[in-house]
Amino acid sequence: MSSTIRIRGARTHNLKAIDLDLPRGELVVFAGVSGSGKSSLVFDTIAAEAGYQVNENYPPFVRNRLPRWSRPEAELLEGLSPVVLIDQKRLGGNARSTVGTITDAFTYLRLLFSRVGEPHVGESNHFSFNDPAGMCPACAGLGETLTTAVERVLDLDRSLEQGAILLPGFGNGQYWYRQYAGIGAFDPAAPLRDWSAADREALLHREAAHRLSRDVPKDYEGVIDRFERIYLHTADNLSERKQAVLRRFTRSASCRDCGGERLREAARTARVLGRTIGEMSRMEIGELAGLIGQVRDPRVAPVVAALSDKLGALTGIGLGYLSLARPTTTLSGGESQRIKTVRHLGSSLVEMLYVFDEPTVGLHQHDVQSMIELLKSLRDKGNTLLVVEHDPDVMRAADRIVELGPAAGDAGGRIVFEGGFGELAIADTPTGRGLRTRVREREPRAHAGKLRVDNARRNNLRDLTVDIPTGVLTVLTGVAGSGKSSLAAEFVAQHGATVVDQRPVSTNRRSSPLTYCGIAPAIRKLFARRSGTSPKLFSANSGGACPACQGAGVIYTDLAFMEGQETVCEVCSGRRFSAEVLAHTVDGLSIADVDDLTVEEAVRRLPEPAIAGALRRLVDVGLGYLRLGQPLTDLSGGECQRLKIAKELSAAEHPTCYVLDEPTTGLHLADTGVLLQVLDRLVERGNTVLVIEHNLEVIRSADWVIDLGPGPGRRGGRVVCAGTPQQLLACDESATARALRATT
Ligand code: ADP
Ligand code: ADP
Ligand code: ZN
Ligand code: ZN
């Protein structure tokens, strides 16, 4: 295999015919401001050419619906090898997927129990909750069962006529209504509160109805019987609508047979070192690693060694606070990424190309070092690592840094630096300058009042009572797993704050910054006014659509069982509008040209104060480089979060509380200052802002810091220090304080 990856003339998205040679076997960090072209080069050119799967965890039918990666545009790409993409997409998965199953650690644990567990139970599949031989028959191995939340089904203040049965389909005039109101057994006009208790029971349950002295039809089915037959005891995949009904009228409870252990009785009784497999699965991985080391039986020495390796790797990467039983659906993006990394560590493949997207997300400074060690060990096995990253410590550890820039969008797409960290630190580039600047010191603001979080016991929190100051910026710090998210969730539960998270803003491919800001109607009116026609004409969803593609810009050919084909519409060349509409212009721009403007350009070029005003908020949160027509489904988690902040900045009239989770995710060093200004503006309007953050600059700028820990999981869940950043510095026990001291 060639010893160099050679790229010539790469032009994907904003790349300006980039040429680049990367020696294989190196750890390469790609830096640059947001929108400079890092993803376009690393993901959309190099990885796309090497042909990775979009996400190995999605079944093909879902993959078909994901946005398609555009073909890389380059004159030459050579020396590539198969790519493993390790991104921050949450592992998600279904209820059967746990940290143990996805890392294979549980497979080894099952082997251990099948060989040396007492009493002997059988093969290792008898310990699998995903195998009929092992799964608890009552809950089919899920550990939980759904039960009807009976108290939510009836409104006792209403009569049947007034819609006392709240389930869909049971109201007055609806499908099932006459099965209850029309059988003569119940008084449809009386509020249920005035019924006898026996009658109310009879309404809900068949057996209770047959105990009444009155006649009920032989085939009478109580409301709950019917609901459970239709919704719960059905093997069908339920529609979205039915699932919403389920969420509203049911609750899940620990399975009564297995108590949540998911396994048949025999598997629940076998013990190793005096513990059941369920107990071991619920222990923190770090503790389990210590326990497993005590198994001395030579029959299982290889199994114990393999399991210890796995658990050691998980602990080493800062995930020792998780348990093997933890469902993957509850993991954060950063935790998901670290699990994917561990999965590949055990792989014996060499000469692979690993591509990482900000592996330090969610990591305390203290854990960043373990992540770096892990990256190096992957490299030392003979692999090549391409890492998109903003963290200076990772840059310092790289063999080579490539910076894209100098700015975003059209003003970027060039290589402005290539070399080692020492050179970058003195380079006159955005990243070099970012490494040398510090957010200016300032006096903490005085708080207006406080909101008390009382007796918080969520997850690992130890009956915590803590005051959150109002009207200021408070940062929650602590190592991963120390309880920051748990405390934030408890604050939201007790005081009702607005959570500005990193989840996708929209799953609709048609939503864009233009539709999100609500300026689409204003733009259509502007065009209508200038051209003396109707605003309707300028909507690709109605009047003005290209007749060939109906305004989609692409023609989609569905190939039944194969991947569908999407081709750009030949009539409008993907511009979505009819030729007649495109002929109308405002200051030289057609309606389709507007989609291609960046937010920054639009502020300058669209002559309409209302439009510019709405867009300026996006510039304020550092999103000026987005194109107006760019699908929001393309945005990263950090970008989604900043978009939501922009919306809050324009919406909120009354002061309120905001909770943000790591808003610096995906943010270049140079933009941290911009983000801080935005948070300051929220505070200046009287809002209370609570931020989970590892970024030391943000911590230094806080008015108040609540440091949780001292360790993760069971070794955390306490307030180590609460005070101003200055007061935190003096705290000996705090890992955050140590990191702050190391950089001041
Ligand atoms: P970075 O990863 O450095 O933040 P990107 O590579 O994502 O930057 O973006 C570089 C430029 O390419 C930006 O102007 C962005 O708007 C544009 N871009 C990104 N994705 C697409 C896409 N799917 N189609 C068209 N332009 C895109
Ligand atoms: P942080 O935000 O500081 O990383 P978290 O609040 O997410 O920490 O986690 C604190 C502890 O609670 C950890 O031990 C974690 O494993 C546990 N935990 C968090 N979420 C869940 C959950 N949904 N189910 C079970 N345990 C959880
Ligand atoms: Zn069960
Ligand atoms: Zn068309």
Side-chain angles (χ1 to χ4, degrees):
M1 185 179 296
S2 148
S3 62
T4 310
I5 297 172
R6 298 205 320 140
I7 301 160
R8 293 291 175 272
R11 298 174 190 277
T12 310
H13 303 150
N14 70 334
L15 302 182
K16 304 283 185 322
I18 283 183
D19 298 340
L20 182 65
D21 286 341
L22 298 171
R24 299 186 56 89
E26 284 193 347
L27 166 55
V28 186
V29 166
F30 290 82
V33 299
S34 298
S36 59
K38 301 180 294 297
S39 314
S40 298
L41 179 60
V42 178
F43 301 114
D44 302 341
T45 305
I46 302 177
E49 181 67 15
Y52 60 86
Q53 292 192 317
V54 170
N55 190 322
E56 55 188 318
N57 300 299
Y58 286 128
F61 70 91
V62 179
R63 220 179 287 148
N64 273 338
R65 293 193 186 131
L66 293 174
R68 233 158 291 268
W69 297 81
S70 38
R71 278 303 315 260
E73 286 179 51
E75 279 151 32
L76 173 84
L77 284 163
E78 66 174 34
L80 298 178
S81 52
V83 163
V84 179
L85 176 72
I86 303 191
D87 59 15
Q88 292 169 22
K89 285 218 179 77
R90 283 168 199 259
L91 279 164
N94 56 31
R96 300 192 168 279
S97 163
T98 63
V99 169
T101 63
I102 203 150
T103 59
D104 279 341
F106 193 65
T107 312
Y108 295 120
L109 199 60
R110 286 194 283 133
L111 269 172
L112 179 70
F113 272 79
S114 67
R115 304 251 173 96
V116 297
E118 292 287 344
H120 181 74
V121 171
E123 303 296 301
S124 86
N125 61 336
H126 286 90
F127 290 96
S128 167
F129 47 80
N130 292 330
D131 187 309
M135 65 172 64
C136 160
C139 61
L142 293 173
E144 311 187 316
T145 46
L146 278 186
T147 53
T148 310
V150 178
E151 76 288 352
R152 293 183 211 155
V153 167
L154 300 179
D155 180 346
L156 299 184
D157 293 326
R158 295 192 222 172
S159 64
L160 291 181
E161 283 172 350
Q162 294 164 331
I165 309 175
L166 301 174
L167 295 168
F170 290 74
N172 191 349
Q174 292 183 317
Y175 195 76
W176 305 110
Y177 177 66
R178 304 226 50 86
Q179 310 280 335
Y180 303 95
I183 56 175
F186 305 114
D187 177 358
L192 302 197
R193 202 174 283 293
D194 299 342
W195 291 22
S196 70
D199 280 4
R200 280 198 298 266
E201 272 301 292
L203 181 66
L204 295 176
H205 302 288
R206 178 188 296 116
E207 290 107 71
H210 290 301
R211 284 199 299 270
L212 291 180
S213 50
R214 297 190 296 283
D215 264 357
V216 290
K218 251 207 176 58
D219 58 353
Y220 176 82
E221 204 178 18
V223 168
I224 300 291
D225 305 323
R226 183 163 267 139
F227 171 74
E228 293 187 348
R229 177 171 59 80
I230 302 174
Y231 285 90
L232 289 185
H233 307 147
T234 162
D236 295 347
N237 281 326
L238 295 178
S239 64
E240 285 268 331
R241 197 182 55 80
K242 282 196 171 180
Q243 288 187 22
V245 173
L246 266 186
R247 279 194 293 276
R248 197 168 144 214
F249 293 105
T250 61
R251 66 166 64 88
S252 62
S254 201
C255 169
R256 260 181 288 174
D257 278 34
C258 65
E261 296 221 352
R262 298 170 172 238
L263 292 169
R264 278 179 192 274
E265 187 166 6
R268 295 200 304 269
T269 51
R271 288 170 192 274
V272 170
L273 297 174
R275 304 198 194 225
T276 67
I277 194 167
E279 285 165 355
M280 288 202 189
S281 303
R282 284 192 303 274
M283 285 172 74
E284 287 190 8
I285 287 170
E287 291 177 17
L288 181 59
L291 185 69
I292 289 297
Q294 298 166 22
V295 179
R296 297 274 174 252
D297 195 322
R299 286 174 299 166
V300 287
V303 178
V304 168
L307 180 57
S308 295
D309 269 3
K310 252 311 166 234
L311 300 175
L314 284 162
T315 311
I317 202 171
L319 291 177
Y321 61 91
L322 296 179
S323 68
L324 296 185
R326 180 80 172 269
T328 51
T329 46
T330 64
L331 299 177
S332 69
E335 286 168 339
S336 298
Q337 189 177 43
R338 281 175 275 152
I339 293 224
K340 291 183 210 174
T341 314
V342 170
R343 276 209 293 187
H344 287 286
L345 263 186
S347 143
S348 50
L349 299 170
V350 293
E351 302 213 328
M352 301 286 285
L353 191 55
Y354 283 92
V355 174
F356 284 84
D357 184 12
E358 269 198 279
T360 62
V361 166
L363 286 183
H364 190 271
Q365 216 59 28
H366 166 268
D367 297 317
V368 167
Q369 221 48 47
S370 340
M371 176 51 94
I372 289 173
E373 291 311 316
L374 218 113
L375 295 176
K376 284 183 176 166
S377 77
L378 264 180
R379 174 198 61 191
D380 294 343
K381 286 168 81 175
N383 300 297
T384 307
L385 273 68
L386 309 184
V387 182
V388 172
E389 184 56 84
H390 298 292
D391 189 293
D393 284 338
V394 181
M395 293 184 200
R396 190 176 289 121
D399 298 306
R400 178 186 302 261
I401 300 149
V402 176
E403 179 175 353
L404 284 128
D410 260 357
R414 298 176 200 282
I415 291 176
V416 295
F417 174 86
E418 200 190 339
F421 185 76
E423 297 157 78
L424 180 63
I426 52 171
D428 190 21
T429 63
T431 304
R433 288 192 295 271
L435 286 170
R436 295 189 296 271
T437 45
R438 270 289 162 72
V439 172
R440 67 191 156 72
E441 301 268 322
R442 64 167 184 208
E443 280 299 300
R445 287 165 288 220
H447 57 262
K450 53 194 171 199
L451 289 169
R452 174 160 292 182
V453 178
D454 253 325
N455 299 101
R457 293 201 179 87
R458 188 180 293 250
N459 297 324
N460 70 335
L461 300 181
R462 308 222 185 148
D463 198 6
L464 217 59
T465 295
V466 47
D467 288 330
I468 311 287
T470 56
V472 295
L473 171 63
T474 299
V475 177
L476 288 181
T477 58
V479 298
S482 59
K484 302 179 296 295
S485 318
S486 304
L487 180 58
E490 198 59 35
F491 176 68
V492 173
Q494 293 189 16
H495 297 287
T498 305
V499 179
V500 186
D501 61 18
Q502 304 195 353
R503 284 172 206 279
V505 193
S506 164
T507 51
N508 182 350
R509 289 234 69 195
R510 286 204 182 210
S511 52
S512 62
L514 206 140
T515 57
Y516 190 78
C517 292
I519 54 169
I523 289 180
R524 290 200 285 270
K525 274 192 207 126
L526 174 67
F527 272 82
R529 219 168 40 239
R530 291 288 183 94
S531 62
T533 52
S534 147
K536 268 219 190 76
L537 210 54
F538 297 97
S539 160
N541 297 330
S542 58
C546 158
C549 62
Q550 271 91 44
V554 290
I555 307 271
Y556 190 76
T557 322
D558 208 345
L559 298 175
F561 297 106
M562 286 186 290
E563 275 220 22
Q565 275 292 332
E566 217 177 60
T567 46
V568 173
C569 170
E570 286 178 6
V571 175
C572 63
S573 318
R575 296 172 69 85
R576 298 163 54 229
F577 289 91
S578 71
E580 179 210 346
V581 174
L582 290 176
H584 298 295
T585 56
V586 169
D587 300 345
L589 296 168
S590 76
I591 184 76
D593 293 335
V594 172
D595 274 357
D596 287 338
L597 293 178
T598 64
V599 169
E600 241 155 30
E601 289 165 348
V603 169
R604 277 186 276 115
R605 295 189 56 181
L606 293 178
E608 184 79 47
I611 296 174
L615 291 176
R616 211 164 277 131
R617 311 227 184 274
L618 295 189
V619 178
D620 288 346
V621 294
L623 291 177
Y625 60 88
L626 292 183
R627 291 191 186 280
L628 291 188
Q630 193 169 336
L632 295 184
T633 46
D634 288 354
L635 300 190
S636 69
E639 287 172 328
C640 287
Q641 188 177 43
R642 278 175 277 146
L643 198 60
K644 292 178 191 174
I645 299 178
K647 189 157 208 167
E648 289 302 330
L649 274 173
S650 55
E653 303 272 304
H654 307 289
T656 161
C657 298
Y658 291 106
V659 172
L660 292 90
D661 188 355
E662 243 192 310
T664 60
T665 305
L667 212 55
H668 185 260
L669 295 166
D671 292 333
T672 308
V674 176
L675 175 78
L676 280 168
Q677 283 170 18
V678 172
L679 297 179
D680 278 347
R681 284 180 49 193
L682 281 177
V683 168
E684 279 152 20
R685 291 165 173 221
N687 296 298
T688 298
V689 182
L690 185 62
V691 176
I692 297 174
E693 189 54 82
H694 298 292
N695 182 298
L696 298 175
E697 299 290 295
V698 174
I699 297 172
R700 280 194 190 93
S701 306
D703 300 306
W704 195 253
V705 183
I706 299 175
D707 190 48
L708 294 173
R714 291 207 311 147
R715 289 183 289 119
R718 286 197 294 118
V719 173
V720 175
C721 167
T724 62
Q726 276 303 323
Q727 288 167 331
L728 173 67
L729 266 180
C731 174
D732 278 337
E733 206 193 349
S734 160
T736 310
R738 279 196 293 279
L740 280 172
R741 283 196 296 264
T743 54
T744 12

